[in-house]
Amino acid sequence: MILLEEEPKNKQKTPKRPKKRVSLLVYISSTLLALFVGIFMTILVIGLNNRTSQQLDSSASGLNKISSVYQTISQQYYRKTDKTKLINGAIKGMIASLDDPYSEYLAGSDASDLDNTISGSFEGIGAEIQKKGNYIEIVSPIAGSPAKKAGLKANDIITAINGKSTAGWSATKTTNKIRGKKNTKVTLTIKRGKQSFKVTLKRDVIPVKTVNARLDKKQPTIGYIQITSFSEPTFKEVKAAITKLRKQGAKSFVLDVRSNPGGIMQQALKISSMFVANGKTLMQVKARTGKATVYRASKSLDGGFKVKEPVKVLIDDGSASASEIFAAALNQSANVELIGTKSFGKGTVQQVSQLSKKSEFKITVAKWLTPNGSWINKRGLTPNITAKYPSYAYLPVVSDQKTYQLDDVATPIKTLQKELKAVGQDPGAINGYFGQSTKQAVTAFQAANNLDQTGKLDPTTIDKLQAAITKKISANDVAYNKAIEQLSK
């Protein structure tokens, strides 16, 4: 599943008014949007000053140019033209000129798929994506999803799907191609840094549950709460988790929003308010003009449920949007330390307007700011304590479509050599050459894992090796261990 993070359209029919939806990443209240529209209409009714008149004159001149080009192409182009394509092309061109990965024009199936939300159950691979340049970038894989299990990471670029280039595709078109029924497969071509590789994923039902909680095994007075996304039930799930952990003896908490791509901002605000004193700022939303709208912690948000125990928050480069709002609110308004690596950096607000039954466009209408007024867009939140996974956690995924054997030379072999060393098998020189030392390491790994001892890196061995790496990464969670250490003092 690729999360589109949009609120569902209003099911009630309102024929004479266009439907509008706001990005779930950052929700702007309908009253605020209505205010923008109201101000614009007031200017029209009251009268226009010279500057406004000049602006409208300029706009009219520009529209006349567009109309002139359209008419010329329609009437004089040497081949018959498709009027719909011409209009769509003009709209796409205007939006593309914004150079904004979150603004796009959607028509046909692209538009209809925007109605899906993270409040339901989906079948897919479980990752949020966005447009970046001419291709598609992964923002964050969801915990427990096929994408996460396959080792896909934030900032990976999807250059092809099932062999077809994604160049020029919208995020929604990419979504359509990746989604599919449970147990069916999709092959992605991924570019990570200078390396490019293919990975085949088996689609699955993406879990709706957004909160996982438990006591730490070694420190049973510390509760661990993982928030995988900010969906409709998340506030209730977090509240229930804290209540249960308290009954089990928890005196402090680790809140984990790593690889959390975001979700409904209202949920992020409600949960943030649990940890922040009433009246203190949670976030700010600022449109192009006017003062910022400030959101503050309050009983109306958290229902009076407060958490005053010591808390640490874990973030990484997959923590985006609503999870960044949450982390920034706790960090800047409740002095909660952030542990991990720099977050993704998504600091803008989108509005989606429906043009017709089959088309709509999404544009960025505002930016959101942290409590102290910082704009983290493309910069992310910097943790108070930097804690990275071991280097092998950042290795690229190696495709299991090939077999490597003695005397082969290839870049993926170098990656597999690093993985062999990480799991305790010495491959000798790590240089991409499959020599005798590498063969011995592979044979030893196969013996330790009850595989046929062929000495070859075949698909089964590669899968087993990468599964072993994933397990080892989980067992060496540096950021989590640092949080436990801090709370144990």
Side-chain angles (χ1 to χ4, degrees), residues 173-191:
K173 181 175 181 178
T174 305
T175 296
N176 295 340
K177 299 298 183 182
I178 294 178
R179 281 182 180 165
K181 293 183 179 180
K182 179 181 178 180
N183 294 326
T184 59
K185 294 182 178 180
V186 59
T187 299
L188 308 182
T189 302
I190 301 294
K191 184 178 181 183

Side-chain angles (χ1 to χ4, degrees), residues 13-42:
K13 293 184 177 180
T14 53
K16 295 184 179 182
R17 296 178 62 187
K19 299 174 185 176
K20 291 187 177 180
R21 297 197 315 286
V22 185
S23 168
L24 296 186
L25 287 169
V26 185
Y27 172 82
I28 277 191
S29 68
S30 58
T31 54
L32 182 58
L33 292 176
L35 178 62
F36 295 156
V37 176
I39 291 173
F40 179 66
M41 295 303 292
T42 301

Side-chain angles (χ1 to χ4, degrees), residues 326-345:
F326 169 75
L330 270 64
N331 180 236
Q332 296 180 12
S333 292
N335 296 318
V336 171
E337 284 187 321
L338 304 181
I339 300 175
T341 57
K342 188 175 290 187
S343 65
F344 181 80

Side-chain angles (χ1 to χ4, degrees), residues 273-337:
S273 187
M274 290 182 184
F275 302 88
V276 177
N278 289 344
K280 288 201 170 185
T281 301
L282 299 177
M283 68 170 291
Q284 305 176 52
V285 173
K286 193 176 191 308
R288 185 170 64 184
T289 59
K291 294 182 179 180
T293 299
V294 180
Y295 294 85
R296 303 181 188 278
S298 66
K299 186 177 180 179
S300 63
L301 283 174
D302 56 43
F305 185 86
K306 292 292 187 181
V307 180
K308 297 182 179 180
E309 293 93 336
V311 168
K312 303 294 179 184
V313 174
L314 307 183
I315 61 171
D316 68 3
D317 59 0
S319 304
S321 198
S323 58
E324 291 176 297
I325 292 171
F326 169 75
L330 270 64
N331 180 236
Q332 296 180 12
S333 292
N335 296 318
V336 171
E337 284 187 321

